[in-house]
C-alpha cells in the first residue's frame, strides 16, 4: 500500500437519496458528505439497509442523489447527460459486484476486452491488455473459459480484471467477497490491495471485517449517515 | 382470323376415317379434347340443336389452352373456336336470310393490350350501334375483382396489424430475457444510445433474414399452390404470384417493422437503471 491520497477524485456534498415507497419515503442516504482522494483505500461498513450500497452507487454514478451534489474530477455529475455519465463510468470508474455480473456468453478474455472495445481501444492493444490483466489476477490459463466454467473466486477475479480494463482512477467494490469462501475471499482481498498499491483508488463496501481492516480509512454507516470514521 | 367462342358444345363425334382436307377447321380446348379423346386431324360433327339434327362436319386443326378466366373457376372450358362464316352457317336458322344474323359480342385481341382503351374509344366514335369496351370491363367482372382486391387489402391490413402486435409482444419477451446482459452493459458504462444502436442493427438483420426466409418460403409455396389448384380446377389460371413488386413490398414492410419493434421493446428496458436490470 504505497500510494497516498493526493488530489480529490469524488466529492459528495450533503448527498441524500430518498426512495418513494408505498408506506412512505425511505431515506437510504441522509445529508452525507464524503471525499475520495486519488489512490485512497476506503472501506464502508455497517448493518444491512444502512445505505452502504446506495452510497457506492451514487459515488459510481449509477444512481443519482435526490439532493446534494456529486463531483467527479471536478465535474458536477448532475449536469452530465446520460451519455456523458456512461462514458465517465466506462473510462474512469471500475465496478466489482458481489454477483460478478460477467456476461455468460463471453469468455474471460472477451469479458475483459469488452469495456476496452467500447472505449475505442484498438484490437491488438486490447488483446494485449486483456492478457496482461488476466495474468495480473492469476487467470491467464483460464482466458478462453466462459463464466460457467469458472469458480466463484475466479469469476470475481475476472470481474476485477474487467473493472481495471480501461485503467480507471476509481475502483468500487460492492461486497466483493460476499459470495466467496474465506480462502478465496482472502485471495480477492489481496488482489484489491495490489490494485490500490498500483495507484487506483479503491472503495469497498463490505460486511467482512477482515477485508475492511485492509483499508486505510474505514467508514461505518448507520441510518444513511456516516456514524464513525477510523483511519489507519 | 376473327374467332368466336362458342360457349357450349353442340355435339361432337369423331369421324376418324373420313376424307378431311377440304373440311372447315376448328380449334378445341385442351379440356374438351381430353374429355372426348380428340386429336388434331380428327373430324367432328357439330349441330345447333341438342338432338344433333342438321350437323356440320369439321376438322380439328388444333388444340388450345383457353385463356384462364377466374370468373369461371371450377367450370371446365369445353369450348371450340370456329371461323365466323362457319359459325354463321352452323347456327343460322334456315328461315333467316343470309346477312341478317345478329352477333352480340366479338372479342378482339390486340397486338398491344395497352391500346385497348384507345381502340375502344376509336370504335365507339366511328361506329354507331357498336359499343366497344375492354374485355376486363365487360360483364361486371372488373367490379367483382375490385371488391375482391379490396377484400384482400383488408385481410392484408388486419394480418399486418395482428402480426405487428404479436411481433412486439415476442420482441418484448426476447429483450426482457436479456435484461441482465443489458444491465451489466449499462453498469460497465455503455451508453443507452450505443446499446440501442446495437439492438437496432440486430433487429434490422433479424428482420431482413426473416423477410428473406418468408420470401423463399413463399416462392417455394407459389409453385406448389399453383400446381395444386391448377390440377384441382383443371385450369392454367395462376393463383399465387410472387412478383418483384410483391417481394419488395414485403421487405419494405417487414424490415422497418421488425427493427421498430426491437427498438421499442429495448427502449422500454433501457429507461430503467442498469442496477435494476442487472439485479433481475
Amino acid at each position: 500500500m504505497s500510494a497516498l491520497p493526493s488530489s480529490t477524485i469524488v466529492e459528495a456534498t450533503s448527498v441524500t437519496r430518498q426512495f418513494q415507497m408505498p408506506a412512505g419515503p425511505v431515506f437510504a442516504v441522509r445529508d452525507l458528505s464524503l471525499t475520495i482522494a486519488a489512490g485512497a483505500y476506503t472501506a464502508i461498513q455497517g448493518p444491512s439497509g444502512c445505505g452502504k450500497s446506495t452510497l457506492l452507487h451514487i459515488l459510481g454514478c449509477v444512481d443519482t442523489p435526490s439532493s446534494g451534489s456529486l463531483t467527479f474530477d471536478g465535474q458536477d455529475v448532475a449536469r452530465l447527460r446520460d451519455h456523458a455519465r456512461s462514458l465517465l463510468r466506462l473510462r474512469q470508474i471500475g465496478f466489482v459486484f458481489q454477483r460478478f455480473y460477467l456476461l455468460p456468453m463471453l469468455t474471460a478474455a472477451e469479458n475483459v476486452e469488452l469495456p476496452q472495445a467500447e472505449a475505442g481501444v484498438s484490437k491488438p492493444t486490447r488483446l494485449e491488455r486483456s492478457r496482461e490483466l488476466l495474468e495480473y489476477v492469476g487467470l491467464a490459463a483460464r482466458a478462453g473459459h466462459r463464466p460457467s466454467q469458472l469458480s466463484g473466486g475466479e469469476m470475481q477475479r475476472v470481474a476485477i480484471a474487467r473493472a481495471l480494463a480501461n485503467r480507471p482512477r476509481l475502483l468500487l467494490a460492492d461486497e466483493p467477497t460476499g459470495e466467496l469462501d474465506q480462502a478465496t475471499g482472502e485471495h480477492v482481498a489481496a488482489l484489491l490491495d495490489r490494485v490500490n498499491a498500483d495507484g487506483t483508488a479503491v472503495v469497498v463496501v463490505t460486511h467482512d471485517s477482515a477485508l475492511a481492516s485492509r483499508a486505510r480509512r474505514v467508514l461505518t454507516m448507520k441510518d444513511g449517515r456516516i456514524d464513525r470514521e477510523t483511519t489507519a | 382470323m376473327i374467332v368466336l367462342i362458342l360457349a357450349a358444345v353442340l355435339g361432337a363425334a369423331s369421324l376418324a376415317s373420313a376424307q378431311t382436307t377440304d373440311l372447315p377447321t376448328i380449334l378445341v380446348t385442351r379440356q374438351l379434347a381430353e374429355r372426348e379423346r380428340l386429336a388434331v386431324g380428327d373430324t367432328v360433327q357439330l349441330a345447333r340443336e341438342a338432338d344433333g339434327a342438321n350437323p356440320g362436319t369439321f376438322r380439328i386443326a388444333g388444340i388450345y389452352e383457353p385463356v384462364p378466366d377466374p370468373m369461371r373457376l371450377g367450370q371446365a372450358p369445353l369450348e371450340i373456336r370456329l371461323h365466323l362464316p362457319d359459325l354463321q352457317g352452323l347456327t343460322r336458322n334456315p328461315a333467316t336470310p343470309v346477312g341478317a344474323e345478329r352477333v352480340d359480342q366479338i372479342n378482339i385481341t390486340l397486338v398491344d393490350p395497352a391500346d385497348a382503351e384507345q381502340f375502344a374509344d376509336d370504335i365507339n366514335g366511328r361506329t354507331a350501334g357498336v359499343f366497344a369496351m375492354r374485355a376486363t370491363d365487360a360483364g361486371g367482372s372488373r367490379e367483382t375483382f375490385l371488391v375482391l382486391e379490396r377484400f384482400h387489402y383488408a385481410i392484408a391490413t388486419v394480418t399486418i396489424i395482428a402480426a405487428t402486435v404479436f411481433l412486439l409482444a415476442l420482441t418484448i419477451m426476447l429483450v426482457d430475457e436479456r435484461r441482465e446482459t443489458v444491465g451489466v452493459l449499462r453498469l460497465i458504462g455503455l451508453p443507452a444510445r450505443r446499446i440501442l444502436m446495437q439492438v437496432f442493427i440486430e433487429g434490422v438483420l433479424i428482420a431482413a433474414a426473416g423477410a428473406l426466409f418468408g420470401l423463399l418460403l413463399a416462392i417455394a409455396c407459389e409453385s406448389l399452390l399453383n400446381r395444386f389448384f391448377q390440377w384441382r380446377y383443371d385450369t392454367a389460371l395462376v393463383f399465387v404470384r410472387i412478383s418483384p413488386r410483391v417481394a419488395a413490398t414485403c421487405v419494405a414492410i417487414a424490415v422497418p417493422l421488425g427493427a421498430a419493434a426491437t427498438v421499442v421493446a429495448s427502449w422500454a428496458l433501457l429507461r430503467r437503471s442498469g442496477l435494476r436490470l442487472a439485479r433481475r
Side-chain angles (χ1 to χ4, degrees):
Chain A
M1 297 188 201
S2 58
L4 292 171
S6 52
S7 60
T8 299
I9 301 178
V10 191
E11 185 170 11
T13 310
S14 302
V15 163
T16 295
R17 182 66 171 103
Q18 176 190 338
F19 293 100
Q20 290 299 336
M21 302 302 250
V26 172
F27 289 87
V29 176
R30 287 172 193 264
D31 194 25
L32 186 148
S33 296
L34 175 68
T35 300
I36 304 292
Y41 192 166
T42 307
I44 303 174
Q45 280 194 300
S48 296
C50 70
K52 308 183 293 290
S53 292
T54 305
L55 175 62
L56 195 80
H57 299 151
I58 290 172
L59 295 177
C61 307
V62 294
D63 198 1
T64 316
S66 309
S67 65
S69 72
L70 181 81
T71 58
F72 194 100
D73 254 350
Q75 295 180 87
D76 185 355
V77 175
R79 286 171 181 262
L80 298 177
R81 302 186 71 169
D82 179 71
H83 186 78
R85 226 178 8 241
S86 296
L87 292 181
L88 178 72
R89 277 203 304 275
L90 182 68
R91 293 180 174 138
Q92 305 279 357
I93 305 169
F95 264 106
V96 177
F97 297 93
Q98 181 176 355
R99 289 181 54 209
F100 326 126
Y101 291 146
L102 296 176
L103 292 178
M105 70 293 276
L106 302 182
T107 63
E110 288 165 345
N111 265 288
V112 180
E113 208 185 316
L114 180 69
Q116 300 174 73
E118 292 305 322
V121 178
S122 69
K123 181 88 177 168
T125 310
R126 62 181 194 247
L127 284 176
E128 178 61 18
R129 172 81 177 145
S130 303
R131 194 191 56 75
E132 278 174 13
L133 282 167
L134 286 174
E135 208 169 271
Y136 182 78
V137 299
L139 286 175
R142 310 282 267 163
H145 289 70
R146 292 185 197 286
S148 58
Q149 297 167 310
L150 301 173
S151 68
E154 287 171 333
M155 279 196 273
Q156 194 60 296
R157 282 189 279 157
V158 174
I160 291 172
R162 182 182 64 184
L164 296 173
N166 287 326
R167 303 177 201 278
R169 298 189 63 205
L170 177 64
L171 180 77
L172 302 172
D174 191 359
E175 300 283 5
T177 58
E179 295 213 346
L180 308 177
D181 60 53
Q182 197 181 350
T184 314
E186 285 272 333
H187 200 131
V188 168
L191 189 56
L192 290 175
D193 288 349
R194 193 172 155 202
V195 169
N196 178 245
D198 289 341
T200 307
V202 175
V203 177
V204 61
V205 161
T206 184
H207 278 111
D208 181 352
S209 305
L211 175 61
S213 66
R214 290 169 176 264
R216 284 191 294 276
R217 182 186 181 199
V218 180
L219 306 173
T220 306
M221 285 184 71
K222 190 179 173 187
D223 297 332
R225 293 191 172 92
I226 295 174
D227 187 49
R228 196 171 66 245
E229 178 173 346
T230 55
T231 310
Chain B
M1 177 172 79
I2 296 175
V3 182
L4 284 186
I5 299 173
L6 193 66
V9 177
L10 305 175
S14 180
L15 296 172
S17 59
Q19 188 58 260
T20 59
T21 48
D22 54 346
L23 291 175
T25 54
I26 59 168
L27 300 175
V28 300
T29 60
R30 175 186 55 79
Q31 290 84 348
L32 178 59
E34 284 174 1
R35 179 172 295 193
E36 298 298 335
R37 301 179 184 214
L38 300 173
V40 173
D42 285 356
T43 57
V44 293
Q45 287 190 318
L46 303 176
R48 182 183 171 200
E49 304 301 333
D51 60 6
N54 304 316
T57 304
F58 298 87
R59 182 173 59 84
I60 297 174
I63 295 170
Y64 70 97
E65 184 67 44
V67 175
D69 182 358
M71 294 294 287
R72 297 172 64 195
L73 188 64
Q75 299 171 17
L78 305 177
E79 297 168 356
I80 60 173
R81 291 186 177 188
L82 301 92
H83 293 279
L84 184 56
D86 295 336
L87 179 66
Q88 286 176 313
L90 184 68
T91 58
R92 182 191 299 125
N93 189 321
T96 306
V98 174
E101 299 86 354
R102 190 172 142 234
V103 176
D104 291 328
Q105 195 173 320
I106 302 174
N107 289 344
I108 299 172
T109 303
L110 299 177
V111 175
D112 183 359
D115 293 338
E117 203 74 56
Q118 178 62 41
F119 179 78
D121 288 347
D122 223 22
I123 294 285
N124 290 334
R126 286 168 187 237
T127 321
V130 173
F131 179 58
M133 66 172 80
R134 291 165 62 99
T136 50
D137 297 344
S141 61
R142 191 178 187 185
E143 283 73 18
T144 307
F145 282 99
L146 272 178
V147 171
L148 269 177
E149 202 168 298
R150 284 177 194 149
F151 183 61
H152 284 156
Y153 270 123
I155 291 176
T157 307
V158 170
T159 306
I160 288 173
I161 291 171
T164 306
V165 173
F166 178 72
L167 184 69
L168 191 61
L170 196 69
T171 317
I172 287 173
M173 283 195 300
L174 286 174
V175 168
D176 200 61
E177 276 183 8
R178 295 164 70 181
R179 59 188 292 175
E180 192 170 338
T181 302
V182 171
V184 172
L185 293 175
R186 293 285 287 135
L187 289 177
I188 288 174
L190 267 73
R193 207 189 317 167
R194 165 77 179 80
I195 298 173
L196 206 59
M197 180 53 74
Q198 180 141 349
V199 168
F200 174 74
I201 292 169
E202 206 176 291
V204 168
L205 289 176
I206 292 172
L212 188 68
F213 175 75
L215 273 178
L216 291 175
L217 189 68
I219 289 166
C221 291
E222 177 188 16
S223 167
L224 284 176
L225 284 172
N226 281 331
R227 275 190 214 167
F228 174 76
F229 286 110
Q230 283 167 355
W231 165 79
R232 173 71 181 78
Y233 295 111
D234 194 12
T235 175
L237 201 66
V238 176
F239 290 81
V240 182
R241 179 175 287 152
I242 311 295
S243 64
R245 188 166 164 266
V246 168
T249 307
C250 289
V251 173
I253 292 174
V255 174
L257 212 60
T262 319
V263 168
V264 168
S266 305
W267 182 243
L269 204 66
L270 284 166
R271 291 179 66 185
R272 293 185 232 166
S273 84
L275 267 173
R276 282 183 62 191
L277 294 173
R279 277 177 180 162
R280 200 174 181 94

